[in-house]
Amino acid sequence: MYCLLAAPLCLLSLSLPPLSPAAPISPSEPIGQAYSLAVYMQKNTSALLQTYLQYQGSPFSDPGFSAPELQLSTLPSADVSFKTWHAMEDSERLSRAQGAFLALTQHLQLVGDDQSDLNPGSPILLAQLGAARLRAQGLLGNMVAIMTALGLPIPPEEDTLGLVPFGASAFERKCRGYIVTREYGHWTDRAVRDLALLKAKYPA
């Protein structure tokens, strides 16, 4: 009797389709969130750089100051030719942006610490640096969410600063901060372009 009752149940279970794995997350939502944040960040990058330069004294605060030749080996440059950038795969653009904003998050913390020592009476500058670091961290999280949704490997987080010369002079620390705030703006501009391409490929 047990076998007769069980048989229909067995047949029913065999006729049901197998359970499908959870549907993949659509990349359009994290792309849209990242794009909105990057555009918002873009509106504040010039103000951050100008505020930073204003508090550093001459030559930084001199009208028209610019030193594009100054670079940091621990911070990737956003400069790339349009032809090279346009030929990149989405995965390469995302990977480079993810690495850049990971580095920027760590470098902005260092610059904030430097300025707390060099300009302790500058709450506006310190607040802007802190806000920039949090936004860079937020965009980094968005980049990781996009890469996850697209099934791309996520590079492990690492210490991008390496050995920081804590005996650096005030002038060297001011130069370091200038490079970081400048590249924060350049990478934000580049992220807006990267994400605009992705929005077109993965519309909501």
Side-chain angles (χ1 to χ4, degrees), residues 9-203:
L9 294 177
C10 293
L11 292 173
L12 178 62
S13 65
L14 289 173
S15 66
L16 291 175
L19 292 175
S20 58
I25 302 172
S26 170
S28 61
E29 184 174 347
I31 289 171
Q33 292 174 348
Y35 179 77
S36 296
L37 176 56
V39 169
Y40 177 76
M41 289 165 60
Q42 195 176 40
K43 296 176 182 177
N44 297 279
T45 55
S46 294
L48 171 63
L49 180 58
Q50 292 307 312
T51 302
Y52 179 84
L53 294 175
Q54 173 189 339
Y55 279 95
Q56 307 312 309
S58 185
F60 303 96
S61 58
D62 295 346
F65 172 82
S66 178
E69 70 279 3
L70 293 178
Q71 300 289 337
L72 284 173
S73 61
T74 54
L75 185 63
S77 172
D79 291 341
V80 64
S81 71
F82 178 78
K83 182 178 180 180
T84 299
W85 172 80
H86 205 271
M88 289 180 184
E89 298 289 337
D90 293 337
S91 57
E92 185 177 3
R93 289 196 197 96
L94 285 167
S95 178
R96 292 195 182 195
Q98 187 268 347
F101 281 96
L102 173 61
L104 283 165
T105 299
Q106 297 175 11
H107 282 74
L108 284 165
Q109 179 66 69
L110 176 61
V111 174
D113 292 347
D114 285 342
Q115 292 302 308
S116 293
D117 179 44
L118 297 171
N119 289 298
S122 54
I124 294 176
L125 172 60
L126 297 178
Q128 288 187 10
L129 286 169
R133 182 180 63 82
L134 290 175
R135 289 166 187 156
Q137 196 169 28
L139 191 57
L140 172 62
N142 288 151
M143 294 289 182
V144 170
I146 294 170
M147 295 170 80
T148 300
L150 293 174
L152 300 174
I154 309 300
E157 289 202 8
E158 57 185 33
D159 179 4
T160 63
L161 287 171
L163 297 176
V164 176
F166 289 107
S169 68
F171 182 75
E172 288 171 327
R173 287 186 284 168
K174 289 178 180 182
C175 287
R176 182 165 64 196
Y178 160 68
I179 298 167
V180 173
T181 51
R182 181 194 69 199
E183 291 303 311
Y184 170 72
H186 291 171
W187 270 109
T188 298
D189 290 342
R190 183 165 160 178
V192 169
R193 291 197 307 172
D194 290 347
L195 293 164
L197 281 181
L198 281 176
K199 269 176 63 71
K201 290 185 178 181
Y202 301 96

